[in-house]
């Protein structure tokens, strides 16, 4: 029973991409709001919570690969009929989604004009 609850807690990356994307962006915004509050109160801001320097796509990819995916795959050894939905349609598709979002964000950064007035 404990493992079932633990797996459920880390199951967001195994959901279909439209559901997962909403969860991902809401959670990242929550982290950033906490970082904003820490800055306002002059408290050191953790890298994950600093919207000016963190890379949420790589952070999430690491979380999925190191924590969520192994848990979900282990869960699927108990319920193998769920593997296609949770791992193939869920985790693997969401890792592709994160990579695509990261590339789009990096493309926007490269295309942004540089406002350097010292030149």
């Amino acid at each position: 029973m404990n493992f079932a609850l633990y797996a459920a807690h880390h199951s967001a990356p195994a959901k279909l991409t439209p559901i997962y994307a909403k969860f991902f962006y809401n959670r990242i915004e929550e982290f950033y709001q906490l970082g904003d509050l820490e800055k306002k109160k002059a408290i050191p801001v953790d890298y994950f919570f600093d919207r000016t320097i963190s890379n949420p796509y790589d952070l999430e990819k690491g979380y999925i690969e190191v924590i969520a995916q192994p848990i979900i795959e282990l869960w699927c050894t108990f319920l193998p009929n769920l593997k296609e939905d949770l791992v193939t349609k869920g985790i693997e598709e969401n890792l592709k989604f994160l990579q695509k979002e990261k590339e789009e964000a990096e493309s926007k950064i490269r295309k942004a004009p540089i406002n350097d007035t010292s030149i």
Side-chain angles (χ1 to χ4, degrees), residues 20-31:
Y20 168 71
K22 186 174 181 177
F23 171 84
F24 168 70
Y25 284 115
N26 285 338
R27 188 178 64 200
I28 292 301
E29 184 56 32
E30 179 182 347
F31 290 168

Side-chain angles (χ1 to χ4, degrees), residues 1-13 63 66-72 74-75:
M1 180 63 158
N2 287 341
F3 186 73
L5 292 173
Y6 190 67
H9 178 72
H10 294 286
S11 68
Y63 162 72
V66 174
I67 298 172
Q69 188 169 8
I71 291 168
I72 297 302
L74 182 58
W75 181 247

Side-chain angles (χ1 to χ4, degrees), residues 4 8 11 18 21 40 51 78 87 101:
S11 68
K40 189 176 180 178
R51 70 175 74 235
F78 298 108
V87 177
E101 293 292 298

Side-chain angles (χ1 to χ4, degrees), residues 30-68:
E30 179 182 347
F31 290 168
Y32 287 164
Q33 287 178 11
L34 177 60
D36 295 344
L37 184 60
E38 289 173 339
K39 278 184 182 179
K40 189 176 180 178
K41 295 188 177 276
I43 299 171
V45 180
D46 188 280
Y47 172 79
F48 301 121
F49 300 161
D50 190 337
R51 70 175 74 235
T52 63
I53 61 170
S54 75
N55 180 332
Y57 309 107
D58 285 344
L59 295 172
E60 184 71 3
K61 181 179 181 254
Y63 162 72
I64 290 172
E65 292 176 345
V66 174
I67 298 172

Side-chain angles (χ1 to χ4, degrees), residues 66-119:
V66 174
I67 298 172
Q69 188 169 8
I71 291 168
I72 297 302
E73 287 178 349
L74 182 58
W75 181 247
C76 289
T77 62
F78 298 108
L79 298 165
N81 58 325
L82 296 178
K83 187 168 185 170
E84 183 179 349
D85 286 338
L86 298 179
V87 177
T88 306
K89 293 178 183 175
I91 290 174
E92 291 174 7
E93 288 301 313
N94 289 328
L95 286 170
K96 291 176 190 173
F97 159 76
L98 290 170
Q99 183 61 36
K100 180 178 166 257
E101 293 292 298
K102 176 186 174 185
E103 289 168 3
E104 287 178 12
E106 289 173 346
S107 175
K108 288 177 186 176
I109 291 169
R110 283 192 297 273
K111 291 177 183 176
I114 299 173
N115 295 327
D116 189 355
T117 58
S118 65
I119 298 178

